[in-house]
Amino acid sequence: MVNDASDTAEESLAYKLERSTGSFFERIQKLWQKKWFRLFAAFLGLCALGWLLIWLIFARDLPDAAALRTYEPPLPTMVRAYDGEPVHSYARERRVQLEFSEYPALLVRAYLAAEDRTFFEHGGLDYPGIATAIVTNISNSGRPVGASTITQQVAKNLLLSSEVSYRRKVREAILAYRIEDVLTKEEILELYLNQIFLGRNAYGVQAAAQAYFNKDVDALALHEIAYLAILPKGPSNYRPEVHAERAIGRRNWVLKGMRDNDWITSAQYQTASAQPLGAVSNSGPRFERVGGYFIEEVRRQLIEQFGENEEAGPYSVYSGGLWVRTSLNPQLQGYTKDALREGLLRYSRGKGWTGPINTIEIDDQWPQRLASTFINTDHANWQIAVVTKSARSETEIGFKDGTAGQISSAPSKLKVGDIIAVSPLGGSRYRLENVPEVSGGMVVQNPHNGRIWAMQGGFDDRMSSFNRATQAERQPGSTIKPFVYATALEKGMTPATLIDDSPFCVYQSAALGRKCFRNFGNARGAGEQTLRWGVEQSRNLMTVRAANDAGMENVVSTIKTMGIGDYNPYLAFALGAGDTSVMKLTNAYSMLANHGRELNPTVIDFVQNREGKVIFRTDKRMCENCNLRDWDGQPMPRPRPAGRQLMDPMTAYQMIDILQGVITRGTAQNLKGLNRPLFGKTGTASGPTNVWFVGGSPDMVAGVYMGYDQPRNMGGYAQGGTLAAPIFRRFAEKAMAGMPKTPFVAPKGIRMVRVDRKSGKRVYGGWPTDDPQSAVIWDVFKPETEPRRSIRKEELLARLEARKAQLLAEQAAAEAAAQAANRNRTPAQNDDEFLQAEGGIY
């Protein structure tokens, strides 16, 4: 019964649906018979087909306009010194991003007058403007007139290409509507004013204000604002140095538009239109150029960490808008650069002109060719020029700006096309300057944390970009010896240990054969001397004996642990035969001053993104309770010391104390005049092919190297003490002038003992004096290693022999006196008296 009722209901529903459907189709069929309905249906079909075609051809792959809400324009990376002052920027596009509220209202209106007067009224497209442009282009055979609104320009610049086609214009119009839906008018204007290209590599109005007027946007005058507003149409058409009249005419047209829209008064218009352009010449970097080699090392590390372009990620160097705090000290960098340059020039004086910096072809375009080399210098009053005409009596030269001059007494090997350095003599006369062929590198480091304060990798980075402070691997010579002796100290020697300074030969291997070592300059051996004396006088024979006794496997292990290099266990490496860099060796000496604790040389402190968030930090140490709001009554919290303990602190201090003797009594005595606690070591590689000095104070360590890029003999007189140490002295005289004279602090456990400087034996009766050559000095020992108060067998025998000699001398003197007295008496009366007078029986 229930089933029958259900079947009946279903049949009834099906009938109703069939009847309804049939009724619908019948109506359509009736309407289709009417012409107007068929035309209407065809129109709808064409519209649908049109929209489909538009979507397929123009809108199918359009970018999402909503992406502009989070759009971040490419921004340069700003580099700051240790104190936060900007010193450089890495940029391929000059741009400064501002918020809309930071742009003056008058500036915004100037751009509206020039580009889109109805911007705040239309919805993305200016239909009257489009119609006017069509009519103008049909009736005018000149330059076509466009009708792009500011919204369309934003769509083209940020989401589309600059392709000239109708397809791009349609896509641009579609995007303009979409942009108006997702962004406010102010947000659109902000994107436009920050992005638009205005010439002189300036993207955005703030960058253009700096490029053309050396001002910020809020300091621009009305006529300057109007000039910037004409540049979007084509910056090259209104270059002030070429098309000044055309630019003034177009600028005044913008001012007239602003007056007609009541955005400025007639008086303002009259005053501004009467002004000259007032644009400055094409300005270079905003910052004074400092630390070329240092800044390039920072750039290299940033690219390695974050990538170069925006394809590499959001924090790329040339578009990520990073803020980089470095350890660069501009003042110390200047001292470093000047000291190294003076040292290179001092060595080169009297050696004759060494040749051109580079060469170019001389034709009508030689000024552009010279400029495109980017060769420059900031040394003294030097300028870069090229030889344009060479004659016996006079040589003509030219500069990047096309001006000319003359050189007198030019060398015969000077050729047309040679790029040279010159200095002015007056008028159009110049003197040829010699860029040193020899080069070198210098690094200045904080030994407490490893931060690099200054770095100079050659004479000038704009002449040679090769950084000899970090990239040049050279033999360090005797500057490696402190780490050889540090190993010996670790293996039981003391500063007072006697080492034989005599010929030393060793059979190294079947391949290397027998090797005999010698002192520098073939100096004769001095016999047994203290370890301290061997370091101070840089004795090679004592060094190889110490290395041999300590074990070369242990020596090269110490050298590797200190980050200097990875060498095979051959004795030659104890004398500096292995290659290393100035940076590595300076850092190793800094670790000695840091009581043997690990340091990593760093040039970057931290990096922030464009919002100010720190995305990279060199010092990752945690500091517990450092952010407490109130003092908790406990000692001030401090981060734990960074780095591992790579060397026994007492061993490191022993070497520091010994290396102070190098300054006061050894190979670097020309630094005594600095009159402060200093340690250091000179070095001269075989040849000599390069010279070194590394050392400093408890708060500043510096290393310097000098040599040819293709190593060759520098001359027999070349030594670390005569060439490299004076460079350090010139630097330190200025860099350390205001620094306190802080002594080196000994670690816990060190014993200070009075010893005889020559023998190393303990002294009880005398005291050290201020004279570096004092016979008695304070020496440093680890516990239980200082000389004992004891009399050895040989000392006892020596004392007995001395006493016996003294007694015999006294007896001989007495007998001589008796004989003299007897000669004045009466001759002897008996045999006893005779024998006594003659001193015995013969």
Side-chain angles (χ1 to χ4, degrees), residues 526-549:
E528 286 194 337
Q529 301 290 338
T530 64
L531 182 151
R532 173 183 288 275
W533 185 87
V535 178
E536 292 175 356
Q537 303 304 318
S538 196
R539 307 295 282 192
N540 290 349
L541 293 174
M542 295 179 66
T543 305
V544 293
R545 285 185 184 275
N548 188 66
D549 292 346

Side-chain angles (χ1 to χ4, degrees), residues 531-575:
L531 182 151
R532 173 183 288 275
W533 185 87
V535 178
E536 292 175 356
Q537 303 304 318
S538 196
R539 307 295 282 192
N540 290 349
L541 293 174
M542 295 179 66
T543 305
V544 293
R545 285 185 184 275
N548 188 66
D549 292 346
M552 271 307 296
E553 292 83 0
N554 299 321
V555 171
V556 296
S557 177
T558 298
I559 292 173
K560 181 179 180 180
T561 299
M562 300 300 283
I564 299 171
D566 189 1
Y567 309 139
N568 292 320
Y570 301 137
L571 283 172
F573 290 114
L575 300 179

